[in-house]
């Protein structure tokens, strides 16, 4: 496998965003359909404008029942119209779509999706989509029954077949008392996802039928009911991988430790665990039938040899608190590779590991990553250089992608979504189709 073939070089970093060169603002059209989630489009506009992009909001007439044009104009700094009969002298009905680098429609109602499928051009938003040659991302939001209705599902399949990217909706509380799939993802999730699409990653719904199991976060080992040994992993990298794998159409299980504050990635099932041994059991159970297994969790290598049932007291339990005896935890990644080698996992399952490394006098972070890759026996290793404020708890990531038979591929600093997209692209190249 040659993972250098299509990865961005050091000069064309993930997402086209370079720390050294200021990026060009993008022309982004935010289309807004007439659903209660239209209010979240205000936050989405902010996500883009704060990133330096030029945003043009194009609501449907129905969307203005929920949020006024003045709000969108103030937030975007651009005029707002719904009809092809405004600014006729500027030929607005084609100009907006022609100039766009990205069109994101959030929320997209069932009715708006049906109109897009029909190729209607009776308002500015549908006319803009017909004209646009840039990526178009449709973010549905509706009641579960409407989402699951075969009419909507057929319409979504049609849009995907035509190259329009349709995001999987989130699962959760809807407008009434009901709960289920159909909720608009959080604006930050939409913006992160849309940026990876503009960067050319994973636009296809090409992992339908694939099962992906991902560990994320940091495991914690209890000392007593209130104290634990843990680490600084935020879990963001694993959550980004889960989100993108689900958006590619895979069935995703996310085995998550200490990540309660992160929004659940759309279309994934989250299994919460605490300790390393709980994570090991969950990965064994859910990994058994998986096509892809990703160990992105920061696993606590050691645990106290015993855990107190009640809180240790400073005076009375001085010995237990001042000297904690540790025993080694299982290596979950190594265990999964061994199980695959014994034929206990799905044939051809791809296993991805991570390495958090710092360099020292004896070797660079990359040297240590290469020897870890050898030791662990996984198919792909994403090696992060950590320390000096890098990676742990941060919103960006950087390092190298290592794959068997290929030169290490530098992954320049990018958001965890951009890095996740590159990891999935590397997996995709070796995955049996
Ligand atoms: N890992 C694991 N089980 C462990 C320790 C690590 O499955 N007990 C996995 C991590 O999820 C990661 C990879 O192994 O995918 C490397 O983790 P890292 O912390 O970098 O390395 P360690 O194996 O812990 O080795 P060391 O800390 O000595 O560098």
């Amino acid at each position: 496998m040659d993972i250098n073939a299509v990865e961005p070089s050091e000069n064309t970093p993930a997402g086209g965003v370079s720390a050294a060169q200021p990026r060009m603002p993008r022309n982004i059209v935010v289309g807004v359909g007439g659903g209660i989630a239209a209010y979240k489009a205000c936050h989405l506009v902010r996500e883009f404008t704060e990133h330096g992009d030029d945003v043009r909001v194009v609501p449907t007439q129905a969307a203005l029942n929920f949020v006024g044009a003045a709000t969108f104009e103030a937030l975007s700094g651009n005029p707002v119209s719904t009809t092809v009969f405004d600014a006729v002298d500027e030929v607005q009905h084609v100009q907006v779509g022609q100039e766009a680098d990205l069109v994101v429609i959030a929320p997209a109602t069932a009715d708006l999706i049906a109109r897009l499928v029909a190729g209607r051009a009776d308002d500015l938003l549908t006319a803009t989509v017909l004209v646009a040659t840039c990526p178009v991302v449709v973010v549905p939001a509706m009641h579960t029954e409407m989402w699951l209705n075969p009419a909507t599902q057929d319409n979504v399949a049609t849009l995907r077949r035509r190259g329009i990217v349709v995001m999987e909706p989130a699962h959760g509380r809807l407008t009434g008392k009901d709960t289920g799939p159909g909720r608009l993802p959080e604006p930050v999730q939409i913006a992160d996802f849309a940026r990876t699409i503009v960067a050319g990653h994973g636009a296809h719904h090409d992992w339908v039928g694939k099962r992906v199991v991902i560990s994320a976060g940091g495991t914690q080992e209890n000392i007593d009911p209130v104290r634990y040994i843990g680490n600084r992993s935020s879990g963001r990298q694993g959550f980004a991988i889960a989100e993108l794998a689900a958006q590619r159409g895979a069935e995703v299980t996310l085995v998550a430790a200490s990540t309660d504050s992160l929004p659940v990635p759309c279309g994934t099932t989250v299994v919460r665990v605490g300790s390393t041994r709980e994570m090991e059991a969950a990965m064994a159970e859910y990994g058994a039938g998986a096509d892809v297994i990703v160990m992105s969790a920061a696993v606590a290598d050691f645990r106290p040899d015993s855990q107190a049932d009640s809180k240790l007291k400073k005076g009375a339990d001085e010995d237990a608190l001042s000297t904690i005896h540790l025993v080694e935890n299982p290596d979950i990644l190594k265990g999964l590779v061994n199980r695959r080698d014994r034929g206990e996992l799905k044939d051809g399952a791809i296993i991805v590991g991570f390495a958090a490394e710092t360099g020292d006098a004896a070797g660079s972070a990359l040297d240590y990553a290469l020897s870890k890759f050898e030791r662990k026996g996984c198919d792909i290793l994403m090696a992060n250089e950590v320390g000096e404020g890098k990676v742990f708890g941060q919103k960006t990531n950087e390092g190298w992608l290592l794959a068997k038979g290929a030169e290490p591929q530098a992954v320049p600093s990018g958001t965890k979504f951009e890095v996740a997209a590159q990891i999935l692209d590397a997996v995709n190249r070796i995955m049996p189709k």
Side-chain angles (χ1 to χ4, degrees):
M1 168 190 48
D2 177 12
I3 71 162
N4 295 313
V6 281
E7 293 293 358
S9 73
E10 250 171 304
N11 298 326
T12 26
V17 180
S18 161
Q21 295 173 325
R23 61 186 285 283
M24 295 293 289
R26 292 189 181 113
N27 288 326
I28 300 183
V29 172
V30 173
V32 186
I36 182 74
Y39 77 93
K40 287 192 186 174
C42 301
H43 296 276
L44 182 61
V45 172
R46 264 279 157 79
E47 283 288 334
F48 289 130
T49 55
E50 284 182 4
H51 205 244
D53 293 313
D54 191 27
V55 177
R56 178 78 197 250
V57 182
V58 184
T60 61
Q61 190 58 42
L64 297 184
N65 290 326
F66 296 92
V67 180
T71 302
F72 289 134
E73 284 184 353
L75 287 172
S76 67
N78 279 316
V80 166
S81 55
T82 60
T83 154
V84 294
F85 295 108
D86 285 338
V88 177
D89 55 328
E90 293 167 19
V91 204
Q92 189 177 237
H93 72 290
V94 290
Q95 182 213 24
V96 175
Q98 281 171 341
E99 290 180 353
D101 298 310
L102 167 71
V103 176
V104 183
I105 303 178
T109 59
D111 179 67
L112 179 53
I113 288 171
R115 294 201 298 124
L116 293 174
V117 168
R120 300 289 293 265
D122 50 356
D123 62 9
L124 185 57
L125 180 53
T126 49
T128 297
V129 172
L130 272 190
V131 169
T133 52
C134 63
V136 176
V137 178
V138 169
V139 193
M142 63 196 74
H143 283 278
T144 301
E145 295 85 344
M146 294 174 106
W147 171 247
L148 295 178
N149 189 292
T152 306
Q153 290 297 310
D154 280 357
N155 285 340
V156 166
T158 302
L159 291 183
R160 284 179 173 149
R161 205 181 58 246
R162 293 177 187 164
I164 289 183
V165 178
V166 183
M167 226 179 147
E168 290 295 324
H171 192 288
R173 182 78 195 270
L174 301 166
T175 322
K177 288 185 178 151
D178 44 345
T179 295
R183 197 179 145 88
L184 192 78
E186 294 307 312
V188 64
Q189 291 174 306
I190 299 170
D192 280 338
F193 175 67
R195 286 186 194 115
T196 65
I197 296 301
V198 186
H201 299 290
H204 308 291
H205 208 242
D206 54 355
W207 284 19
V208 174
K210 302 285 182 198
R211 291 172 72 180
V212 180
V213 178
I214 300 160
S215 72
T219 57
Q220 297 180 343
E221 303 295 346
N222 290 342
I223 297 168
D224 66 18
V226 293
R227 302 180 180 94
Y228 64 86
I229 298 172
N231 62 65
R232 296 204 187 114
S233 172
S234 67
R236 285 196 192 100
Q237 184 62 79
F239 272 53
I241 296 169
E243 175 89 56
L244 291 187
Q247 295 300 346
R248 280 182 99 136
E251 186 189 316
V252 178
T253 304
L254 183 54
V255 177
S258 55
T259 50
D260 293 352
S261 59
L262 294 180
V264 171
C266 308
T268 66
T269 303
V270 180
V271 177
R272 306 267 176 203
V273 296
S275 68
T276 299
R277 285 180 298 173
E278 284 170 20
M279 181 170 277
E280 182 190 35
M283 291 305 287
E285 180 180 345
Y286 297 100
D291 299 281
V292 181
I293 300 174
V294 182
M295 274 301 302
S296 74
V299 179
D301 292 309
F302 293 90
R303 65 179 184 276
D305 64 354
S306 63
Q307 294 172 14
D309 292 334
S310 53
K311 186 182 172 193
L312 296 169
K313 308 284 184 303
K314 263 187 283 185
D317 301 308
E318 204 68 49
D319 285 352
L321 275 173
S322 58
T323 310
I324 297 171
H325 294 279
L326 300 177
V327 292
E328 196 166 352
N329 266 328
D331 186 321
I332 305 172
L333 177 60
K334 195 98 213 314
L336 288 162
V337 170
N338 291 341
R339 292 187 59 201
R340 183 186 59 184
D341 293 348
R342 292 196 300 266
E344 293 168 16
L345 299 184
K346 191 168 177 183
D347 202 24
I350 295 168
I351 302 181
V352 181
F354 272 70
E357 300 295 347
T358 54
D360 60 20
S364 69
L366 178 58
D367 293 335
Y368 286 113
L370 285 165
S371 72
K372 187 171 287 178
F373 185 37
E374 189 78 30
R375 233 175 26 247
K376 298 274 185 177
C378 51
D379 304 293
I380 292 171
L381 188 91
M382 174 65 212
N384 301 316
E385 190 167 5
V386 296
E388 294 171 12
K390 284 183 181 164
V391 181
F392 265 60
Q394 304 294 306
K395 288 189 174 158
T396 57
N397 207 348
E398 65 182 293
W400 301 270
L401 257 178
L402 310 182
K404 284 177 187 157
E407 289 296 307
Q409 169 66 48
V411 177
S413 179
T415 67
K416 296 198 172 183
F417 266 77
E418 289 164 347
V419 172
Q422 292 191 64
I423 294 168
L424 294 190
D425 285 350
V427 171
N428 197 49
R429 285 196 285 282
I430 59 172
M431 188 150 67
K433 299 289 182 290

